[in-house]
Amino acid sequence: EKRRDEGRRAQKSLSSERKAVQELTERVRELEERERELMEAVERREEEREESEKQIQDAEQREEELKAELRCLTQKGVELSAARAQMESEMLERWEEDRGKLEAAFAGEKKGMTAQWEDERHVLLQRLAAVQPKDEDDT
């Protein structure tokens, strides 16, 4: 009987230990699963961080490219403005010269026309004088 009691106790103890081992084994599996999930999450976060850093680098590089392009366009704008100002100045100068020539030509034509008119007037006055009747005393 004593042996049976000891056997029963040993069996209960063994059964309790088996149950404890199963619970611990299950708990270890759960912890391992949780560890695997956490490691995957850490890997995803690392990949996301690397992708973010790459995007930041790409954005910074694009910003530098745009700044260089802006500097180039600004320089071209300055050059174009200077060229336009030079061209406008030259055109204004030519216009002033042409205007002076035209005014001189017009003044010359006016003077010539006036002289021609005076000549024609003189001729017409002579013709008129020739055609007009003389005083009645002469007839």
Side-chain angles (χ1 to χ4, degrees):
E1 188 132 342
K2 198 176 181 182
R3 277 187 162 186
R4 274 190 209 166
D5 285 341
E6 284 178 14
R8 279 187 210 141
R9 275 189 239 137
Q11 213 169 14
K12 277 185 180 179
S13 178
L14 184 59
S15 179
S16 291
E17 287 177 11
R18 280 186 186 157
K19 188 176 178 184
V21 166
Q22 282 178 337
E23 289 173 0
L24 287 174
T25 301
E26 182 61 30
R27 183 69 181 137
V28 166
R29 276 191 213 128
E30 289 172 1
L31 290 173
E32 286 173 343
E33 177 65 22
R34 182 69 181 137
E35 179 185 29
R36 186 184 60 74
E37 290 172 358
L38 289 173
M39 291 303 287
E40 288 174 358
V42 166
E43 286 176 22
R44 279 193 307 272
R45 292 285 192 276
E46 183 63 25
E47 289 171 0
E48 290 170 359
R49 184 188 62 77
E50 289 172 359
E51 182 63 28
S52 292
E53 286 177 356
K54 185 180 183 310
Q55 289 175 352
I56 289 170
Q57 288 174 346
D58 290 348
E60 288 172 346
Q61 181 179 355
R62 181 67 181 141
E63 180 184 18
E64 289 303 315
E65 290 169 358
L66 289 173
K67 283 180 181 177
E69 189 175 338
L70 178 62
R71 283 190 297 272
C72 180
L73 290 174
T74 301
Q75 180 61 33
K76 285 182 180 180
V78 167
E79 292 169 1
L80 286 173
S81 291
R84 180 179 178 188
Q86 177 65 29
M87 188 174 72
E88 286 175 351
S89 173
E90 290 172 1
M91 287 177 64
L92 183 61
E93 190 176 308
R94 274 189 249 134
W95 182 81
E96 288 292 335
E97 288 174 5
D98 291 347
R99 181 176 171 212
K101 289 176 185 176
L102 286 173
E103 286 176 349
F106 180 71
E109 273 186 35
K110 185 177 175 187
K111 193 174 187 182
M113 293 288 283
T114 303
Q116 183 182 351
W117 289 338
E118 288 294 323
D119 291 345
E120 287 178 15
R121 182 174 171 260
H122 182 68
V123 168
L124 288 173
L125 286 174
Q126 284 178 350
R127 282 186 193 168
L128 185 62
V131 185
Q132 277 186 348
K134 305 250 178 175
D135 288 336
E136 290 179 9
D137 295 341
D138 291 343
T139 57

